[in-house]
């Protein structure tokens, strides 16, 4: 089985960058940190947005095709909330292992076969670990690379800083 495109190093980097972003958000806006439930709700919303970009892969009645680039952008947004959760619970290393474990499960079921109803279902209905692992596997089947995921996360991070600067 090939290695997951979300490497341990990339996940650690995402968590470090997200911790800086979160600190700036809380400080600049005098906000208290969200609860894990709040982060879970935000993550679930982003996961649904990612799956929405897969359109015809699950929406059998539409003629609209998937938007791979938008899917990758939405996946990057998902990583922000996964990283925030890992940082909040101080479980960055364990968080990665939990994602990796779920990834191995979904990889066995997906076997490069996509679209796969179970994979899409877990992306929106599973635990956070099942969901992100499913989204990662879908990204891989769509040809995404570690570098592409890192670039998408960095672009999303840049947009978030720009939004803060503009008062968004």
């Amino acid at each position: 089985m090939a290695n997951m495109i979300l490497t341990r190093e990339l996940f650690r980097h995402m968590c470090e960058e997200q911790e800086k972003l979160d600190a700036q958000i809380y400080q600049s806006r005098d906000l208290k940190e969200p609860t894990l439930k709040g982060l879970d709700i935000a993550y679930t919303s982003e996961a649904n947005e990612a799956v929405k970009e897969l359109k015809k892969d699950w929406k059998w009645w539409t003629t609209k095709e998937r938007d791979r680039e938008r899917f990758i952008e939405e996946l990057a947004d998902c990583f922000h909330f996964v990283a925030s959760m890992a940082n909040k619970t101080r479980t960055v290393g364990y968080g990665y292992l939990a994602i990796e474990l779920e990834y191995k499960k979904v990889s066995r079921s997906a076997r490069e076969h996509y679209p796969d109803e179970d994979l899409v279902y877990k992306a929106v209905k599973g635990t956070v670990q099942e969901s992100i692992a499913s989204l990662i596997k879908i990204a891989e089947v769509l040809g995404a690379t570690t570098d592409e995921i890192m670039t998408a996360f960095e672009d999303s991070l840049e947009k978030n800083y720009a939004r803060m600067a503009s008062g968004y």
Side-chain angles (χ1 to χ4, degrees):
M1 179 186 328
N3 291 330
M4 178 170 59
I5 59 174
L6 177 67
T7 65
R8 183 181 312 272
E9 295 78 22
L10 177 54
F11 186 65
R12 190 169 307 281
H13 171 74
M14 288 175 171
C15 290
E16 289 168 359
E17 292 302 317
Q18 189 63 37
E19 189 168 40
K20 293 174 196 172
L21 176 64
D22 286 344
Q24 188 169 339
I25 290 170
Y26 305 144
Q27 183 180 24
S28 69
R29 298 195 179 162
D30 195 28
L31 297 173
K32 67 178 188 167
E33 291 186 30
T35 63
L36 283 174
K37 284 182 183 177
L39 290 168
D40 193 337
I41 291 167
Y43 170 80
T44 301
S45 176
E46 292 299 336
N48 280 297
E49 288 181 24
V51 168
K52 180 182 169 202
E53 298 304 331
L54 300 173
K55 292 175 180 75
K56 198 170 185 178
D57 296 351
W58 61 270
K59 206 175 191 181
W60 62 91
W61 62 91
T62 190
T63 57
K64 295 179 183 175
E65 295 299 321
R66 82 171 69 101
D67 187 335
R68 180 189 178 280
E69 286 70 33
R70 288 283 305 141
F71 171 78
I72 300 297
E73 289 172 17
E74 295 298 343
L75 174 58
D77 291 344
C78 290
F79 284 127
H80 285 283
F81 295 106
V82 172
S84 286
M85 286 184 246
N87 289 335
K88 183 172 186 66
T89 58
R90 305 268 185 254
T91 58
V92 173
Y94 174 75
Y96 180 81
L97 291 175
I99 293 167
E100 187 176 48
L101 177 65
E102 290 303 326
Y103 170 82
K104 288 177 182 176
K105 291 178 189 175
V106 299
S107 289
R108 275 194 297 271
S109 68
R111 296 278 189 231
E112 306 294 321
H113 171 253
Y114 184 80
D116 180 281
E117 190 173 74
D118 290 338
L119 201 55
V120 175
Y121 183 83
K122 279 190 175 183
V124 294
K125 293 288 198 174
T127 65
V128 172
Q129 293 86 357
E130 289 172 332
S131 173
I132 196 69
S134 297
L135 292 172
I136 290 166
K137 186 60 186 176
I138 291 168
E140 289 175 349
V141 173
L142 298 179
T145 65
T146 299
D147 287 342
E148 187 176 10
I149 297 302
M150 183 169 80
T151 299
F153 181 81
E154 293 292 331
D155 290 348
S156 179
L157 194 62
E158 189 176 305
K159 285 178 193 171
N160 284 326
Y161 279 114
R163 285 177 178 158
M164 281 184 19
S166 72
Y168 174 80

